[in-house]
Amino acid sequence: MEAISKNFFLYLSNNKLLDRFAKRFGKRFGADKIVGGETFSQAIPLIQQLNHEGLQVTVDHLGEFVNCEAEARDRAQECIRCIQSIANHQLNSEVSLKLTSLGLDINRELVIENMETILEEAEKRGVTVTIDMEDSSRCEATLEIYKELKDKYENLGTVVQSYLYRSDKDLDELDACKPYLRLVKGAYKESGKVAFPDKESVDKNLKHLIKKNLLNGHYTAIASHDDAIVDYTKKLVEEHDIPNERFEFQMLYGMRNQMQKDLLKEGYNVRVYMPYGEDWYGYFMRRLAERPANIAFAIKGIFCK
């Protein structure tokens, strides 16, 4: 039943008609509970409140699969404005972005140009940037671009997804970069040829990747709402005397709020992933696919003001 639910919401995430409908009626379906606003300025007070509570943040301007060079350049400028606002408001926040929003599907040179412009500003302002991972067809290109840019810019991270068979080898190939990695399960619909078909295998691989990257000595963000993954990480770092400064837990804005607070009280670093922007629909559907309990947000949004 869980697999059927996941496939259903992943299918909906790519429906253009529902995307247009959602942009009109998004708040009624609970989008405002997991998205920081339509603009970064709307997200600023929310970030300030999270920072006040002791939580760090990473923000993501929603939107992907850009096929127009002008739009890709506009997206890059939005990232730059976001970085400037983070610095000007002294927010404890990083920036996450998707390469498809910067022109990955157009040409590689455009992506590199946009990323270098963004990273120059981020370096100047002391802001870290993380390249989000997308579906498996774009994984190789994303990691190659990350490795190229990591040679020039220290303040750069990326994401590895445990549901892909290739991820263990990817960690080996990234090792020389001394990477800052966010480790996640993965939220795209993939073929059994490239991805583990069952949750048990995905979870087992995520634990393996967490242990491997931490023992390799690299900063690791464990991005999971799963109690078992969080407990595993706690035991692992205690067993190997890994200091809290070498890792953090990451969770989505609006989800597992009590767990975030509990982890903070226990002395762990916690970062909240806060998306903003109008193109929230695909993101929202993938969150529902990841965790059926998230459907409650949508139901509450329909029936509650």
Side-chain angles (χ1 to χ4, degrees):
M1 190 66 179
E2 184 174 333
I4 294 172
S5 172
K6 179 175 181 177
N7 288 336
F8 174 68
F9 284 109
L10 289 176
Y11 169 76
L12 291 182
S13 72
N14 293 312
N15 189 295
K16 303 301 181 186
L17 179 63
L18 287 176
D19 185 23
R20 290 194 295 271
F21 176 82
K23 285 179 180 177
R24 291 188 60 191
F25 303 104
K27 290 186 178 180
R28 288 292 304 278
F29 288 88
D32 58 330
K33 295 177 177 61
I34 63 170
V35 176
E38 293 185 354
T39 66
F40 186 69
S41 62
Q42 292 174 342
I44 288 173
L46 301 176
I47 298 170
Q48 290 172 327
Q49 178 59 37
L50 291 171
N51 287 168
H52 178 72
E53 295 170 6
L55 294 159
Q56 304 171 69
V57 177
T58 185
V59 293
D60 172 27
H61 182 223
L62 292 169
E64 49 198 294
F65 311 125
V66 170
N67 294 304
C68 167
E69 181 174 332
E71 186 178 355
R73 294 189 185 280
D74 286 344
R75 294 279 185 173
Q77 288 304 310
E78 172 62 26
C79 287
I80 289 170
R81 288 191 293 271
C82 179
I83 289 165
Q84 291 169 342
S85 291
I86 287 171
N88 292 339
H89 289 86
Q90 297 182 313
L91 303 175
N92 188 343
S93 179
E94 299 180 354
V95 170
S96 295
L97 53 81
K98 291 180 174 60
L99 293 186
T100 52
S101 73
L102 302 176
L104 182 64
D105 294 343
I106 302 172
N107 66 66
R108 193 176 191 277
E109 291 72 22
L110 176 62
V111 174
I112 295 294
E113 180 185 340
N114 281 334
M115 280 298 300
E116 288 185 334
T117 303
I118 291 166
L119 289 169
E120 288 289 343
E121 187 67 27
E123 193 172 71
K124 184 169 69 175
R125 303 279 184 165
V127 176
T128 295
V129 175
T130 295
I131 300 174
D132 281 344
M133 190 54 69
E134 303 180 65
D135 60 39
S136 62
S137 68
R138 296 172 174 90
C139 184
E140 185 71 23
T142 299
L143 292 180
E144 287 304 314
I145 289 171
Y146 172 73
K147 285 185 279 190
E148 178 178 336
L149 292 170
K150 192 67 167 61
D151 284 341
K152 303 177 187 177
Y153 303 97
E154 184 63 29
N155 59 328
L156 182 63
T158 193
V159 177
V160 172
Q161 302 171 117
S162 71
Y163 71 165
L164 296 180
Y165 298 136
R166 59 173 292 161
S167 294
D168 183 54
K169 183 179 178 183
D170 286 335
L171 254 63
D172 290 336
E173 294 181 355
L174 288 166
D175 186 52
C177 299
K178 298 181 180 178
Y180 163 22
L181 293 181
R182 178 194 302 147
L183 301 179
V184 305
K185 293 183 184 182
Y188 292 87
K189 184 172 175 58
E190 301 284 2
S191 162
K193 294 180 180 179
V194 299
F196 292 104
D198 60 280
K199 181 181 183 298
E200 183 179 354
S201 298
V202 174
D203 289 356
K204 181 179 179 181
N205 197 38
L206 180 56
K207 292 177 181 178
H208 168 71
L209 297 176
I210 291 168
K211 182 175 183 178
K212 186 169 188 172
N213 203 54
L214 281 171
L215 295 187
N216 281 346
H218 307 315
Y219 192 87
T220 306
I222 298 93
S224 176
H225 300 138
D226 191 328
D227 293 300
I229 298 298
V230 171
D231 290 342
Y232 170 81
T233 303
K234 288 180 181 180
K235 292 174 184 175
L236 177 71
V237 298
E238 182 178 357
E239 179 184 348
H240 294 276
D241 284 327
I242 297 170
N244 287 357
E245 293 73 27
R246 283 252 311 281
F247 71 97
E248 65 186 45
F249 292 104
Q250 288 193 9
M251 297 184 185
L252 300 173
Y253 174 66
M255 299 185 188
R256 300 306 306 266
N257 294 338
Q258 189 57 52
M259 178 184 276
Q260 294 172 22
K261 293 174 183 177
D262 291 343
L263 288 169
L264 273 181
K265 289 178 182 177
E266 293 171 30
Y268 296 107
N269 296 310
V270 183
R271 188 177 303 278
V272 176
Y273 186 102
M274 178 186 288
Y276 73 96
E278 296 180 353
D279 293 330
W280 58 268
Y281 172 75
Y283 168 84
F284 190 34
M285 289 298 110
R286 288 195 292 274
R287 299 295 77 78
L288 296 181
E290 281 179 331
R291 192 165 180 262
N294 294 340
I295 298 170
F297 283 93
I299 295 173
K300 186 176 181 181
I302 293 171
F303 295 106
C304 301
K305 293 183 179 180

